[in-house]
């Protein structure tokens, strides 16, 4: 979900009314935990994150709400969705959005990532994939080959000579990605970057920003996390061992997932490079 469009005070008031709350801006806490396009709000002593749906479809918004409710029932550390009051005139004209109770914790800087933190992230990812068997809703991956192709086209339009020199190789990688193995599959986070995990000490307090959650290969979700958390030139083996060790401590790494991981790592690297170039 893309919540990048700014909301007016009238929009915020209308969205707050949908939840039966008189929400006030929370000026003193910055943007921590709000994510892209999010608005941090408070009602009395309670603090919330309001996530506009932006260009997402109604089906996307329903899927995200189902995911967060499922994770809340499973006691997985994710933001808790706040149920709206009955739809009515209060929300007339308001853009779609999701109100979440503010998650605890703080993100770490890339320089603070070590093998122990990667192990903790791997544990949560393994637990999520294990829980996926009990989740019935499905959604196609929001980032697919067409998305990446569009990013590469945008990068080409920039006419940067260094980018232009890399584009043939990147397009070749994109063509190869069509043959990447896809099973086993289930509910995945979709974008487990460093800033999407909040910490209390060395404990994972919350995994946030589920807008790219979907049904995809577990190998892809693992690969996206490894590219984000174990970055180096190439991946740092100590960090990758930590993440995979944590994953295996919560879920068996199926042979098909392990076999798909090299191709998934290429795909995860390509989509990150294309997004940054665009």
């Amino acid at each position: 979900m893309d919540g990048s469009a700014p909301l007016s005070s009238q929009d915020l008031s209308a969205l707050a009314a949908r939840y039966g709350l008189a929400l006030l801006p929370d000026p003193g806490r910055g943007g921590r935990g709000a994510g892209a396009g999010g608005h941090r709000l408070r009602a009395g002593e309670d603090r919330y994150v309001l996530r506009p749906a932006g260009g997402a479809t109604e089906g996307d918004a329903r899927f995200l709400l189902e995911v967060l409710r499922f994770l809340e029932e499973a006691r997985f550390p994710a933001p808790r969705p706040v149920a709206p009051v009955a739809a009515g005139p209060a929300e007339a004209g308001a853009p779609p959005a999701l109100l979440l109770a503010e998650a605890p914790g703080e993100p770490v800087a890339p320089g603070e990532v070590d093998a122990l933190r990667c192990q903790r992230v791997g544990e949560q990812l393994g637990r999520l994939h294990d829980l996926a068997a009990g989740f019935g809703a499905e959604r196609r991956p929001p980032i697919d080959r067409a998305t990446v192709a569009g990013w590469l086209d945008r990068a080409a339009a920039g006419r940067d000579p260094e980018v232009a020199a890399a584009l043939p190789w990147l397009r070749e990688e994109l063509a190869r990605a069509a043959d990447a193995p896809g099973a086993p599959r289930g509910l995945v986070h979709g974008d487990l970057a460093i800033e999407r995990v909040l910490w209390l000490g060395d404990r994972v307090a919350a995994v946030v920003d589920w807008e790219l959650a979907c049904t995809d290969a577990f190998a892809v979700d693992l690969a996206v996390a490894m590219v984000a958390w174990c970055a180096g030139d190439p991946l740092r083996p100590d960090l990758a061992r930590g993440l995979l060790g944590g994953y295996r401590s919560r879920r068996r790494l199926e042979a098909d997932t392990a076999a798909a991981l090299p191709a998934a790592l290429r795909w995860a690297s390509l989509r990150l490079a294309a997004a940054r170039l665009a």
Side-chain angles (χ1 to χ4, degrees):
M1 293 165 69
D2 179 7
S4 57
L7 291 179
S8 68
S9 57
Q10 184 177 0
D11 286 337
L12 287 172
S13 296
L15 285 165
R18 184 182 180 208
Y19 294 90
L21 298 170
L23 296 176
L24 300 173
D26 189 5
R29 307 270 306 262
R32 200 273 302 154
H39 297 262
R40 301 189 68 260
L41 305 163
R42 60 184 171 86
E45 295 302 313
D46 298 322
R47 301 188 190 279
Y48 301 92
V49 174
L50 185 67
R51 300 298 299 268
T57 67
E58 185 179 341
D60 292 334
R62 279 199 308 268
F63 180 84
L64 176 57
L65 185 57
E66 282 190 61
V67 168
L68 293 176
R69 285 174 173 166
F70 171 76
L71 295 175
E72 182 184 11
E73 277 192 31
R75 298 190 177 184
F76 186 91
R80 176 178 61 82
V82 179
V85 297
E91 62 177 320
L98 192 65
L99 185 70
L100 308 173
E102 182 185 73
E106 300 285 343
V108 297
E112 298 177 82
V113 172
D114 57 17
L116 177 60
R117 291 198 188 276
C118 287
Q119 177 186 332
R120 297 284 187 257
V121 170
E123 290 168 358
Q124 296 304 327
L125 204 56
R127 186 180 171 208
L128 173 65
H129 294 175
D130 204 45
L131 289 171
F135 185 71
E138 294 193 7
R139 180 196 187 195
R140 292 173 60 87
I143 299 178
D144 56 15
R145 294 181 70 249
T147 307
V148 174
W151 287 341
L152 293 179
D153 289 342
R154 284 174 57 188
R159 303 184 183 280
D160 183 302
E162 290 188 30
V163 173
L167 281 173
W169 175 76
L170 293 172
R171 294 191 192 282
E172 183 181 333
E173 281 293 302
L174 180 59
R176 181 181 294 139
D179 301 323
R185 304 169 68 81
L187 174 64
V188 301
H189 180 279
D191 192 20
L192 196 56
I194 292 174
E195 65 271 19
R196 313 216 191 285
V197 179
L198 306 182
W199 300 83
L200 291 173
D202 61 3
R203 179 176 66 83
V204 173
V207 178
V208 299
D209 296 354
W210 291 80
E211 282 76 8
L212 293 183
C214 60
T215 308
D216 203 355
F218 295 140
V220 171
D221 212 25
L222 262 172
V224 168
M226 290 177 70
V227 168
W229 286 86
C230 311
D233 189 15
L235 294 179
R236 281 181 50 184
D238 57 326
L239 300 184
R241 280 194 296 268
L243 195 147
L244 287 173
Y247 187 91
R248 288 192 180 106
S249 73
R250 301 305 297 265
R251 173 181 172 82
R252 182 176 64 87
L253 184 65
E254 300 100 327
D256 287 346
T257 296
L261 199 51
L265 283 165
R266 294 178 77 109
W267 166 247
S269 300
L270 171 64
R271 82 177 213 182
L272 177 61
R276 288 183 173 175
L277 289 174

